[in-house]
Amino acid sequence: MNKPIYVTKSSMPSFEEYCEKIKVLWENRWLSNRGCLHKEFETLLQERTGCPYVFLYANGHVALEVGIDALRLPKGGEVITTPYTHCSTTHSIVRNGLVPVFCDINTDDYTIDVNQIEKYITPKTVAIMATHVYGVLCDVDAIDQIAKKHNLKVIYDAAHAFGVKKNGVDISAYGDMVMFSCHATKVFHTIEGGITVFKDKEPYDMINNLVNFGFDGPEDVKWISTNARMNEYEAAMGICNLKHFDEEIAKRKLAYDKYVEMLSNVPGIKLIAPQEGVTLNYAYMPVFFDGYKYTRQEVQDRLQEHNVWARKYFYPIIPDLACYQDQYGDLEFPVSKHAAETVLALPMYADLSVEDVEKICKIILG
Ligand SMILES: *Cc1c(COP(=O)(O)O)cnc(C)c1O
């Protein structure tokens, strides 16, 4: 049996490097609640993103949920969002007492279709929440213009997009709130974890209370909230991984380039074209099988026979999930649906060798 090639594999620092970083915890016995590693990690991220209002969380989903809460959007407000994303995006809207209004994606890069957003705006609309899917950037300038014109907040689920830049600027500069997931399977991770970057100081000031049950000082609780704190072991992993992030991205690029070399210009196989001015992080390798000699299912099965694990990511689309079915009218989202029916995320991680990519592509092309 071949050694399995999974769709992803977590990047890790050396054992010694991590142990060295967590040694301090045996001295100070401060394991969570903004310890010294948490503070160090936060500072590093402020430097890296160039934004002062960076906050850390226990995971990406609570980062979205609590982060949106901190924006204090009026309950019952409508949030225009994408059907082609992780269910976490939509859950975070609904669990904040807001209403998701789905807007289809575009056929070029699978992010929200900015030409359709305005037709969904009503007097109840309070925000646009889009996903930088696969680390591909939404049309941030167009979204910004629409939001300004209609006085809406802009929230980006950038779970896939840590480190992505547009014209040299970190993408956390776009939107009122940007969330990066630091889950073990993501391009940059802290084992479990999440980050939000806020544009304004107000929600940032609020968040410290909201991640800690809504405490307002040591003796009173002012808000009904949750526990969403990142712990020191996670912060230590973040500090170590951040140090190697650029090297890891460079390694991912080698795998990516090989995929592109072997799979572009094949009839029936579609890759997402690079966007002008955007520095990628190579978080995922989504490939769309549309009119190819094998169906998407056949490709997945062929790979699996060789112990290669690809994933239908994302499938199905959010409005088709059991928890959201039939709740948001009978609108159709043909582009999202087609993407979900044709996509396969191929293995992609820093330690994936170019030889393995070649092997994977040969199975696909065979
Ligand atoms: C992974 C992911 C999340 C949730 O992040 P966790 O850290 O796993 O909680 C949210 N949105 C998207 C698009 C994701 O891929």
Side-chain angles (χ1 to χ4, degrees):
M1 201 67 187
N2 298 322
K3 76 174 162 64
I5 300 177
Y6 296 115
V7 70
T8 189
K9 187 168 162 182
S10 301
S11 290
M12 280 171 91
S14 75
F15 180 67
E16 291 73 23
E17 188 182 350
Y18 185 69
C19 288
E20 191 55 41
K21 201 76 224 168
I22 58 172
K23 224 173 187 172
V24 63
L25 303 177
W26 270 260
E27 291 152 23
N28 67 17
R29 302 291 171 112
W30 188 329
L31 305 184
S32 193
N33 295 65
R34 301 183 70 78
C36 66
L37 297 177
H38 187 290
K39 286 178 194 154
E40 181 182 339
F41 185 36
E42 200 174 62
T43 305
L44 290 171
L45 289 168
Q46 285 166 339
E47 285 167 8
R48 190 176 170 101
T49 59
C51 296
Y53 307 131
V54 173
F55 210 92
L56 308 174
Y57 305 80
N59 61 64
H61 179 74
V62 291
L64 280 180
E65 218 173 283
V66 180
I68 291 174
D69 192 12
L71 293 174
R72 307 270 102 181
L73 300 170
K75 298 290 167 209
E78 294 174 355
V79 179
I80 297 172
T81 190
T82 169
Y84 191 67
T85 184
H86 193 295
C87 58
S88 169
T89 319
T90 319
H91 287 355
S92 68
I93 296 170
V94 175
R95 288 170 61 87
N96 268 293
L98 301 163
V99 180
V101 174
F102 296 106
C103 170
D104 208 353
I105 55 175
N106 72 69
T107 51
D108 293 329
D109 62 24
Y110 306 91
T111 62
I112 200 163
D113 184 354
V114 294
N115 296 317
Q116 291 197 53
I117 290 178
E118 280 192 294
K119 77 177 182 203
Y120 294 110
I121 293 178
T122 74
K124 283 183 167 173
T125 309
V126 293
I128 299 167
M129 181 172 186
T131 300
H132 297 310
V133 65
Y134 310 123
V136 171
L137 223 55
C138 298
D139 188 341
V140 288
D141 295 325
I143 291 172
D144 187 51
Q145 270 181 14
I146 296 167
K148 281 209 175 94
K149 183 170 155 197
H150 299 275
N151 195 23
L152 308 174
K153 294 283 183 202
V154 177
I155 303 160
Y156 285 114
D157 182 335
H160 300 172
F162 187 88
V164 174
K165 292 183 176 138
K166 184 177 161 75
N167 299 326
V169 177
D170 192 275
I171 56 140
S172 53
Y174 296 95
D176 292 281
M177 175 185 130
V178 180
M179 186 285 288
F180 301 102
S181 162
C182 304
H183 182 248
T185 58
K186 299 286 156 74
V187 65
F188 170 72
H189 80 89
T190 60
I191 310 169
E192 289 274 2
I195 303 167
T196 61
V197 178
F198 292 99
K199 189 167 87 189
D200 299 322
K201 188 165 184 300
E202 235 178 345
Y204 174 75
D205 287 343
M206 182 83 197
I207 208 83
N208 212 12
N209 307 304
L210 294 180
V211 294
N212 195 26
F213 305 109
F215 269 99
D216 183 30
E219 294 185 359
D220 203 5
V221 176
K222 193 164 164 188
W223 300 275
I224 302 170
S225 194
T226 187
N227 166 6
R229 300 181 300 251
M230 177 179 278
N231 71 46
E232 289 288 277
Y233 292 85
E234 292 165 337
M237 184 61 86
I239 293 166
C240 294
N241 279 340
L242 195 59
K243 205 158 139 196
H244 302 289
F245 182 70
D246 293 332
E247 298 155 43
E248 295 289 290
I249 297 304
K251 283 161 75 182
R252 282 173 178 265
K253 184 176 187 309
L254 297 177
Y256 173 85
D257 286 345
K258 192 71 193 171
Y259 272 125
V260 170
E261 179 196 320
M262 293 189 71
L263 298 181
S264 47
N265 304 316
V266 178
I269 294 185
K270 185 179 164 191
L271 308 179
I272 301 179
Q275 298 167 299
E276 212 177 297
V278 175
T279 316
L280 298 174
N281 63 3
Y282 312 103
Y284 297 89
M285 190 64 219
V287 175
F288 300 83
F289 296 93
D290 188 9
Y292 185 53
K293 61 178 175 176
Y294 305 121
T295 64
R296 184 259 304 263
Q297 188 61 57
E298 283 165 353
V299 175
Q300 190 180 28
D301 292 345
R302 287 169 65 86
L303 289 168
Q304 208 147 314
E305 280 164 24
H306 292 82
N307 220 354
V308 175
W309 299 75
R311 191 175 162 205
K312 294 169 187 166
Y313 191 67
F314 294 101
Y315 172 82
I317 61 170
I318 304 296
D320 288 348
L321 297 174
C323 59
Y324 292 118
Q325 232 167 27
D326 305 323
Q327 288 191 51
Y328 299 101
D330 48 9
L331 290 177
E332 296 287 334
F333 308 98
V335 182
S336 299
K337 207 150 188 151
H338 190 65
E341 280 165 3
T342 54
V343 72
L344 212 49
L346 301 178
M348 174 52 98
Y349 46 89
D351 288 338
L352 181 67
S353 70
V354 168
E355 292 72 34
D356 279 340
V357 173
E358 222 175 309
K359 181 182 134 186
I360 293 165
C361 292
K362 280 184 181 155
I363 298 166
I364 294 170
L365 298 170

